[in-house]
Amino acid sequence: MQVRPYNRDAAVAYARRWALERNPAFYDFENDGGDCTNFASQCIYAGAQTMNFTPVLGWFYRSSYDRTASWTGVKFLYNFLVNNQGIGPYARVVTQGEVEPGDIVQLGTENGDFYHSPVITAVTPIILVAAHTFNALDRPLSSYVYGSVRFLRIEGVRIS
């Protein structure tokens, strides 16, 4: 299996283009539990250009009814990215100081129940993010209120 670089510029360009709007190619889950991880997955896909079509445990979107939980669910996206040994993007948990634009930050409660997946658009040195559900473009991460945080650095993309 080959590995290619994650295209961070493409992921951030997508985030900037669609942060305040919705891409009609994807269902808007805002009224169905939230759209933040759907948007994060779209951004990752823009940078990876590869989905993992493994039923249940993969990471893909064909329609609102034909997708994996990892495409739209915060904890499922985390589980896919940090455990993926197959096709598609993969990540590792890093410190705040190790993140780059195009990476994902997940926000949670004090007891570690993660509920939001903004996309990092800049590190200036403050971290700026884009997100859906509560639309944001270049919002300072420091303006969010959360009990716990984890940073997912997209390390690369495996292709067949």
Side-chain angles (χ1 to χ4, degrees):
M1 194 170 302
Q2 295 180 320
V3 175
R4 71 169 179 239
Y6 174 60
N7 186 337
R8 296 176 177 286
D9 291 339
V12 171
Y14 187 96
R16 290 186 183 288
R17 167 63 183 92
W18 293 106
L20 304 178
E21 296 180 57
R22 299 297 186 267
N23 181 340
F26 296 91
Y27 182 77
D28 179 2
F29 290 92
E30 184 141 348
N31 296 317
D32 294 316
D35 199 55
C36 70
T37 305
N38 177 40
F39 176 66
S41 286
Q42 291 172 44
C43 295
I44 295 167
Y45 179 65
Q49 290 298 301
T50 302
M51 294 183 189
N52 179 317
F53 290 98
T54 304
V56 182
L57 299 177
W59 175 76
F60 68 86
Y61 177 97
R62 291 185 184 116
S63 73
S64 63
Y65 299 100
D66 188 5
R67 61 181 164 84
T68 52
S70 60
W71 190 270
T72 53
V74 176
K75 70 180 178 179
F76 300 107
L77 177 63
Y78 168 83
N79 287 335
F80 172 78
L81 288 172
V82 300
N83 295 306
N84 182 26
Q85 297 295 313
I87 300 293
Y90 59 95
R92 68 182 171 95
V93 177
V94 297
T95 66
Q96 180 173 333
E98 296 174 275
V99 296
E100 293 183 44
D103 288 335
I104 305 298
V105 55
Q106 291 190 322
L107 308 178
T109 62
E110 288 181 13
N111 64 359
D113 181 21
F114 289 89
Y115 56 80
H116 196 41
S117 299
V119 177
I120 297 172
T121 54
V123 180
T124 66
I126 66 167
I127 294 174
L128 302 177
V129 299
H132 273 189
T133 302
F134 301 106
N135 291 356
L137 175 58
D138 291 335
R139 178 177 173 177
L141 179 60
S142 61
S143 71
Y144 284 91
V145 176
Y146 52 88
S148 57
V149 61
R150 62 187 174 203
F151 298 94
L152 301 175
R153 181 183 170 107
I154 312 295
E155 295 284 289
V157 182
R158 291 189 188 93
I159 57 174
S160 56

